[in-house]
Amino acid sequence: MQVRSLNFSKVGNEPLETEDSLSIEIPHSRFAIADGASDSIFSGQWASSLSSVFTGNSYDLNSNKDLDNFLERSRDIWINSIEWNNLKWNVKNKAVKGAFSTFLGFTCFPEENVGHIYAVGDSCFFIFQDNGMMSFPLTKPSEFGIHPSLVWSGYGYPLEKKPYGKNVKIKLLDVEIKEGTRVIMATDALSKFIMESEEPIFELLWNHYQNREFFDEKRSDKSIKNDDLAAILISF
Amino acid sequence: MVYESEISRRNPGLFIFLLDQSRSMSRKIAGGQRSKAQEASDAINRQMNEVISRCTKSDGIRPYFDVGVIGYGFKSGEARGLISNNPISIAELENHILKMEKRTEEIDGETIETEFPIWFEPVASYDTPMVKALTLAKEWVEKWVDEHKSSFPPVVINISDGGATDGVPVDIAKEIMKLQTDDGNVLLWNCHLSEKTETPISFPMDETQIPEDKNARTMFAMTSVVPEPMVAIAKEEFSNVESGSKAYVFNANLEELIKLLDIGTRVVYDRVE
C-alpha cells in the first residue's frame, strides 16, 4: 500500500489557517479527513480531533457505543485544546456555540479484501477499480451545496458540561479492496473537481500532491473553488 | 456587473449604515417597547457585533469588511461619522467600542451572560439632514471604490423615519447608486421606520405598491433593485422578494428593521471566501 496526502489552505491564507484536517495510521490502515466549517470557531481543532481520534482507535462507527465513544473522546480533546479562560469577548461569545466539521473515515482490512467507510457531510470517498470510479456519499457535482451535514462538537464554555444531542447521521459503505484498487478521500472543493475532471484524476493528484502552485493555479482559474483542500491518496 | 466577487482579506466588502437622529426618532417604534432611536441604534450595534462574530477566528478578527456609520440630525443640519471619520476595517472596530454591556442569551434552555459591545448611543435631537448624510456617504464610497476596484460593491443602508429637511435626496442617492466596482453598482437600501401599526410594505417592485406618500415615493426612487444573485437570500426573510424588487421597507416595525439589516449584511457575508 502506498499513501500520499495533501493539505493546502485557501489562496490568500497562511498554511496554518487551513480548517481541513487529515490523519493517516498506516499500520492499522486507518484514514480520516475532516473539513472544519468556516462559520464556526475552533473548527480546525474540531476537525483535527475527529480525524486523529478515528485513526488512533479501532472504532466501528456502525455501533452506537463506538460512535458515542468516538464523539466523546473527540470532544474531550477539542475542549482541552482551548484555553477557555483567556478568550477575548468576541471569541468567547462565538465559541460557546461549539464547532462543526464534516467527517470521512476509512478503515480497511486488505487481508480480508474489505474496507469500511463512514461519512458525514460532503467530504467524499472515491474508489477506482476495473476502469471505473465510484464516489460516496455524494455522486455528482450538483450535490455540493452550502449546508452539508456536519458533526457538532457540542457547546463550549460556559456550557461545556451540558449534555447535548449528538444526533449524528453517519452514512456507511463497505467496499471491496483488492490489488490495484486506488482510493481518494477529499474535502468538498477537491471532491467536486474530481467529479468534474476529464483527466485521469488519480494520476494527476498523485503526481502533484506536493505542488501547491498547481492547486493555486486551479483555484485562480476557478477550476477548483478557492477553499482549503485536503486529500489522502491510497494505492493498493 | 454580476455581484459575484468573493470577499477576502485582499478584497474586503464595505457596509455603511446611515442613521436618522432627528427628534421624531424619540417616539416608540411599532412593535417595540422603546424609541425608534434606541431600537435602530441597538439593531446597528447588534449587526456590527454580528459582522465581527462572522469574521472572528481563533486567531482574531479577519478584516473581511470595512464598516462606517453616519448619523444625521443630532445637531441642526449636520451629519457625521459616528464611530470614525471614514470607514474602518472590522478588525479595528474593537478599538472604537464605547462601552461593553453584559447581556444574557438563551441557549438551549440555559441563560448565559455575554459581552455586548456598544459603539454609539441613541440620539433623537433635531431635523433630518438626509441629503447631507448621503453626500458624506458618497464621499466615503467614492474613495473606497477607487481603492477597491475588484471588490464586491459597497452596501449602504439608510434608516430613517421621515423625509429629508435639507432638500430632495433622490439626486445624491442616484449618484451613489451610479458608483461602482468592477463587480457591480453600489447598493443603497432604505428602511422607513414607523410608530404606526400599519402593515409594512417590503421589497416593492413598483410605485403602485406603495402609498400616495411623498416620502415613501422619494425613498422608493432612491433605492436599488435587489441584484439577481441576492434574491434567493432575501427571500429567506421576505418571502415576497422577486426579481426586480427594490430593497426598501416602508412603515417598518422593529421586526422588519432587524430582518432588513440581517439580509442586507447576509447577502454579502455569503460572498466571503
Side-chain angles (χ1 to χ4, degrees):
Chain A
M1 179 170 59
Q2 284 185 290
V3 180
R4 288 181 177 176
S5 65
L6 60 95
N7 194 351
F8 299 125
S9 59
K10 287 174 196 177
V11 175
N13 281 6
E14 296 296 321
L16 286 176
E17 289 176 341
T18 181
E19 289 165 326
D20 283 2
S21 174
L22 57 88
S23 183
I24 297 167
E25 232 287 311
I26 290 177
H28 295 97
S29 300
R30 292 189 207 121
F31 309 88
I33 207 158
D35 177 356
S38 53
D39 274 359
S40 59
I41 196 167
F42 298 120
S43 50
Q45 288 94 320
W46 176 232
S48 168
S49 303
L50 290 169
S51 52
S52 62
V53 167
F54 180 80
T55 57
N57 298 275
S58 174
Y59 290 126
D60 171 9
L61 300 186
N62 198 16
S63 128
N64 285 338
K65 190 179 160 206
D66 274 15
L67 179 58
D68 268 3
N69 287 340
F70 164 62
L71 293 173
E72 275 170 29
R73 178 87 186 109
S74 300
R75 175 176 163 73
D76 286 346
I77 289 178
W78 179 75
I79 287 274
N80 291 326
S81 72
I82 300 163
E83 286 190 47
W84 296 96
N85 292 326
N86 293 321
L87 300 180
K88 276 180 67 179
W89 62 273
N90 54 316
V91 178
K92 202 163 96 183
N93 287 351
K94 191 170 181 179
V96 63
K97 290 166 186 160
F100 295 84
S101 176
T102 68
F103 174 75
L104 179 68
F106 173 48
T107 305
C108 72
F109 302 93
E111 65 285 1
E112 294 170 30
N113 296 336
V114 68
H116 307 300
I117 306 148
Y118 309 97
V120 180
D122 57 7
S123 295
C124 290
F125 181 93
F126 299 86
I127 185 162
F128 301 80
Q129 279 173 337
D130 307 325
N131 298 320
M133 179 187 89
M134 190 273 290
S135 66
F136 174 79
L138 306 190
T139 56
K140 47 183 189 285
S142 60
E143 290 176 317
F144 291 92
I146 49 172
H147 300 299
S149 301
L150 298 165
V151 187
W152 182 37
S153 64
Y155 296 110
Y157 179 85
L159 300 179
E160 77 279 13
K161 298 213 162 52
K162 186 177 173 62
Y164 68 102
K166 297 183 181 75
N167 196 25
V168 177
K169 291 196 177 94
I170 293 203
K171 293 186 176 174
L172 311 167
L173 181 72
D174 288 346
V175 289
E176 184 188 11
I177 300 293
K178 53 191 181 187
E179 196 173 330
T181 297
R182 290 166 304 160
V183 159
I184 303 175
M185 300 167 70
T187 49
D188 60 337
L190 200 52
S191 291
K192 186 163 183 277
F193 173 70
I194 292 168
M195 288 183 195
E196 290 169 338
S197 177
E198 289 171 4
E199 296 177 69
I201 192 68
F202 187 90
E203 291 75 10
L204 188 76
L205 300 184
W206 187 263
N207 292 332
H208 289 93
Y209 77 108
Q210 288 181 310
N211 185 356
R212 177 168 180 133
E213 270 179 26
F214 169 81
F215 291 98
D216 284 358
E217 272 171 31
K218 293 280 179 199
R219 288 182 286 188
S220 296
D221 70 20
K222 301 200 189 302
S223 334
I224 302 179
K225 185 185 165 199
N226 187 17
D227 198 353
D228 296 331
L229 305 177
I232 300 172
L233 310 161
I234 311 164
S235 179
F236 292 94
Chain B
M1 296 301 178
V2 286
Y3 298 94
E4 282 182 351
S5 268
E6 287 182 320
I7 290 172
S8 65
R9 282 177 272 208
R10 285 182 298 181
N11 271 329
L14 169 66
F15 294 117
I16 293 178
F17 300 99
L18 305 187
L19 179 60
D20 182 348
Q21 297 182 310
S22 65
R23 194 176 309 116
S24 55
M25 290 288 283
S26 62
R27 296 186 200 127
K28 261 191 196 173
I29 191 170
Q33 295 302 313
R34 302 188 299 165
S35 71
K36 288 177 272 186
Q38 283 173 313
E39 294 294 7
S41 303
D42 200 48
I44 297 176
N45 278 316
R46 215 177 313 144
Q47 205 51 239
M48 293 203 301
N49 188 25
E50 181 63 29
V51 178
I52 285 187
S53 176
R54 297 261 182 160
C55 298
T56 292
K57 294 286 178 181
S58 51
D59 56 355
I61 300 167
R62 294 197 182 162
Y64 292 136
F65 297 100
D66 293 337
V67 182
V69 182
I70 294 171
Y72 55 100
F74 56 93
K75 249 187 196 177
S76 182
E78 290 205 15
R80 63 161 184 192
L82 291 186
I83 297 170
S84 53
N85 293 326
N86 43 52
I88 55 171
S89 165
I90 195 82
E92 287 172 44
L93 209 49
E94 61 178 331
N95 302 325
H96 295 258
I97 293 171
L98 200 62
K99 62 178 184 182
M100 294 296 274
E101 282 184 3
K102 299 275 185 204
R103 295 203 176 179
T104 55
E105 192 179 349
E106 280 286 319
I107 296 181
D108 199 6
E110 303 274 349
T111 304
I112 62 158
E113 198 172 71
T114 57
E115 291 186 79
F116 186 85
I118 302 287
W119 284 274
F120 57 89
E121 303 271 24
V123 172
S125 295
Y126 286 88
D127 49 359
T128 312
M130 196 185 291
V131 175
K132 197 148 196 180
L134 288 164
T135 305
L136 180 55
K138 188 190 162 205
E139 276 173 32
W140 285 8
V141 170
E142 219 160 24
K143 185 165 181 291
W144 193 91
V145 294
D146 266 355
E147 293 164 357
H148 300 87
K149 284 285 178 208
S150 53
S151 279
F152 191 91
V155 177
V156 180
I157 303 179
N158 178 36
I159 301 167
S160 172
D161 72 340
T165 52
D166 62 345
V168 180
V170 176
D171 290 346
I172 185 73
K174 285 187 174 167
E175 285 175 34
I176 292 175
M177 292 188 283
K178 271 187 199 156
L179 296 172
Q180 59 184 54
T181 66
D182 295 340
D183 193 46
N185 284 77
V186 174
L187 298 170
L188 177 56
W189 291 33
N190 278 289
C191 183
H192 172 269
L193 292 182
S194 179
E195 58 219 53
K196 300 172 199 157
T197 50
E198 288 168 34
T199 310
I201 295 162
S202 54
F203 289 83
M205 289 184 73
D206 56 61
E207 277 195 345
T208 59
Q209 292 174 269
I210 52 176
E212 291 280 349
D213 176 294
K214 192 178 144 211
N215 290 337
R217 297 283 159 115
T218 300
M219 296 278 258
F220 179 81
M222 54 187 266
T223 302
S224 304
V225 169
V226 181
E228 208 55 47
M230 297 178 172
V231 169
I233 299 167
K235 234 179 162 61
E236 287 176 21
E237 292 286 1
F238 296 91
S239 56
N240 59 317
V241 179
E242 287 175 49
S243 184
S245 290
K246 282 193 165 192
Y248 172 42
V249 182
F250 179 71
N251 267 340
N253 55 28
L254 179 59
E255 190 190 344
E256 302 288 311
L257 167 67
I258 292 168
K259 273 161 53 177
L260 184 85
L261 283 175
D262 183 49
I263 287 297
T265 48
R266 198 141 59 80
V267 290
V268 187
Y269 294 145
D270 279 16
R271 304 305 312 160
V272 172
E273 278 182 353

